[in-house]
């Protein structure tokens, strides 16, 4: 079976930054409460003219450009989202149209909330395997601000908008020295986090925060362990662990529980908040832009969230000649 590796990353976020102090003018909250409970200091919300589609297209366009791959060679387009502009057409179809990508390829969105990007990678691997394609554009994009109840202080302070994209390449892992792509995916139906569809009378995210916290801190270490076992590695061999950026306390709790080296866990939720399916590729893009992603590095990605769903992946960052 063929594996996946990352060639390039792209990202996008709205122009309008919303700080904790800005939110304290709308709901009964404070910078101190939000910072100590979550680690979040600010997030971005879309304004007029900015949407899930526009952010996804920008992120995918940057990833494509940075890869140097001929657009005609893109073999599938998969986007993880729960907050697309339309029920249909999908965000992926809009990426295809705007970037002028091939028509004779599979193009679809995946709904697995904050685990969506990991699911999307596995879907892309399967599609490239069955169609014989070589490259996929895999994007995570959310405009969660339109799903927020701005009178509910327990949820509206947590989430933000943004998009991240990776151009990934399928390769024959039996003939390669590069390590195999491995995933660990799962779900258990549970209403701990819900959001009614866009366009319904109440389009808002509701959450049992404590239950989700417990779920996250038990799931993340198990998922990382499973990925390590399936890829036959130990944590010392991993360069970066990029968890879904929901809450700093969740990630710190897991680091402690696993007795893992904290410096391997990348965090940027302080300035983006929780961007659900977009958070992992946005983090990868930021790492790329800061020069932290070096060709050949080993990555573990971990998503968890509504569904409830979870997903872990091991893959390598191949990069491109800059
Ligand atoms: N500002 C100030 N006070 C707030 C508040 C806010 N934004 N949101 C809630 N509170 C209040 C509550 O009303 C409650 O007040 P009370 O004791 O008078 O009833 C108090 O703070 C404590 O609330 P509680 O829900 O017990 O807080 P918590 O310690 O569980 O922290 C979360 C809340 C949401 C930060 C925490 O549960 C969490 O991080 N959960 C995981 C959420 C998550 O990451 N979800 C996405 C996963 S993909």
């Amino acid at each position: 079976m063929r594996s996946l590796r990352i060639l390039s990353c792209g990202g996008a976020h709205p122009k309008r930054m919303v700080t904790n102090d800005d939110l304290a003018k709308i709901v009964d909250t404070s910078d101190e409460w939000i910072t100590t409970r979550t680690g979040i200091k600010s997030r971005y919300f879309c304004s007029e003219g900015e949407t899930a589609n526009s952010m996804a297209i920008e992120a995918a366009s940057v990833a494509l450009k940075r890869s140097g791959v001929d657009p005609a060679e893109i073999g599938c387009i998969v986007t993880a989202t729960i907050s697309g502009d339309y029920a249909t057409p999908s965000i992926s179809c809009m990426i295809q149209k705007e970037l002028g990508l091939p028509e004779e390829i599979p193009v679809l969105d995946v709904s697995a909330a904050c685990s969506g990007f990991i699911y999307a990678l596995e879907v892309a691997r399967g599609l490239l395997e069955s169609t014989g394609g070589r490259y996929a554009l895999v994007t995570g994009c959310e405009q969660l601000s339109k799903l927020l109840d701005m009178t509910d202080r327990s949820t509206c302070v947590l989430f933000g908008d943004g998009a991240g994209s990776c151009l990934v390449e399928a390769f024959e892992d039996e003939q390669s020295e590069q390590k195999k792509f491995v995933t660990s995916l799962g779900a258990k139906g549970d209403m701990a986090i819900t959001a009614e569809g866009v366009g319904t009378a109440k389009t808002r995210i509701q959450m049992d925060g404590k239950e989700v916290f417990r779920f996250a801190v038990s799931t993340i270490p198990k998922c990382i362990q499973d990925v390590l076992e399936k890829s036959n590695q130990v944590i010392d061999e991993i360069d970066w662990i990029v968890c879904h950026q929901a809450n700093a306390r969740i990630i710190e709790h897991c680091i402690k529980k696993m007795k893992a080296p904290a410096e391997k866990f990348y965090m940027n939720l302080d300035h983006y908040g929780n961007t659900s399916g977009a958070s992992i590729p946005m983090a990868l893009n930021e790492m790329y832009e800061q020069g932290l992603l070096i060709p050949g590095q080993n990555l573990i990605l971990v998503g968890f969230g509504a569904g409830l769903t979870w997903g872990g992946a091991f893959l390598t960052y191949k990069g491109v000649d800059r």
Side-chain angles (χ1 to χ4, degrees):
M1 187 147 82
R2 292 196 299 168
S3 271
L4 285 189
R5 56 193 172 198
I6 298 175
L7 292 192
S8 64
C9 308
H13 62 72
K15 288 187 198 70
R16 182 162 64 107
M17 187 176 79
V18 178
T19 64
N20 292 345
D21 287 335
D22 292 333
L23 290 177
K25 292 177 195 145
I26 307 172
V27 283
D28 182 12
T29 190
S30 65
D31 176 47
E32 198 267 335
W33 192 95
I34 303 170
T35 305
T36 53
R37 302 288 172 124
T38 70
I40 298 166
K41 301 291 287 181
S42 61
R43 72 290 290 142
Y44 292 87
F45 284 171
C46 287
S47 302
E48 187 92 22
E50 295 170 323
T51 67
N53 275 351
S54 69
M55 293 186 292
I57 290 162
E58 187 182 336
S61 161
V62 171
L64 178 64
K65 230 172 260 154
R66 284 179 179 158
S67 73
V69 167
D70 180 348
E73 284 196 77
I74 298 297
C76 73
I77 307 167
V78 187
T79 303
T81 189
I82 55 165
S83 55
D85 290 15
Y86 307 105
T88 191
S90 66
I91 291 181
S92 296
C93 281
M94 293 298 102
I95 292 175
Q96 178 200 37
K97 176 176 182 277
E98 293 301 320
L99 303 191
L101 301 178
E103 293 186 358
E104 311 299 324
I105 60 169
V107 176
L108 80 163
D109 289 357
V110 167
S111 172
C114 308
S115 314
F117 186 72
I118 313 297
Y119 274 70
L121 285 173
E122 187 57 276
V123 169
R125 184 245 289 264
L127 289 171
L128 292 178
E129 178 82 12
S130 56
T131 60
R134 180 165 174 196
Y135 301 107
L137 257 177
V138 184
T139 303
C141 176
E142 303 291 2
Q143 187 183 352
L144 296 175
S145 57
K146 70 187 175 193
L147 296 180
L148 294 179
D149 175 353
M150 294 309 292
T151 65
D152 176 5
R153 67 178 181 174
S154 70
T155 53
C156 75
V157 303
L158 302 176
F159 298 96
D161 299 340
S165 189
C166 290
L167 197 138
V168 296
E169 176 187 34
F171 66 100
E172 296 294 341
D173 50 27
E174 301 303 336
Q175 292 148 33
S176 170
E177 282 178 9
Q178 279 207 318
K179 293 179 178 170
K180 288 181 190 179
F181 170 65
V182 159
T183 61
S184 169
L185 303 174
K188 59 170 178 183
D190 190 297
M191 301 294 276
I193 312 174
T194 58
E196 295 179 28
V198 176
T200 59
K202 286 183 189 167
T203 57
R204 60 192 192 130
I205 294 175
Q206 290 177 296
M207 181 175 63
D208 178 340
K210 281 192 194 311
E211 192 185 330
V212 175
F213 195 99
R214 277 193 294 274
F215 161 72
V217 297
S218 78
T219 302
I220 297 168
K222 275 193 244 164
C223 211
I224 292 175
Q225 196 49 42
D226 196 37
V227 169
L228 284 172
E229 280 168 24
K230 283 184 174 167
S231 61
N232 203 18
Q233 298 184 91
V234 293
I235 209 158
D236 290 349
E237 293 170 87
I238 306 301
D239 296 292
W240 291 108
I241 299 174
V242 184
C243 294
H244 164 48
Q245 303 287 304
N247 180 320
R249 278 201 308 154
I250 290 177
I251 297 175
E252 285 156 5
H253 201 96
C254 294
I255 291 170
K256 216 165 154 193
K257 196 167 168 180
M258 297 177 67
K259 298 190 177 67
E263 66 279 6
K264 287 183 193 270
F265 286 72
Y266 188 76
M267 270 202 261
N268 66 356
L269 58 91
D270 59 324
H271 49 281
Y272 290 129
N274 178 343
T275 57
S276 190
S279 84
I280 293 172
M282 284 175 79
L284 290 169
N285 179 57
E286 198 175 76
M287 292 163 73
Y288 168 82
E289 290 182 345
Q290 292 176 1
L292 297 174
L293 279 187
I294 297 165
Q297 278 183 334
N298 296 324
L299 312 175
I300 285 183
L301 314 178
V302 188
F304 55 92
L308 296 168
T309 57
W310 60 90
F314 168 82
L315 78 178
T316 54
Y317 173 70
K318 180 174 179 237
V320 285
D321 297 333
R322 295 210 200 189

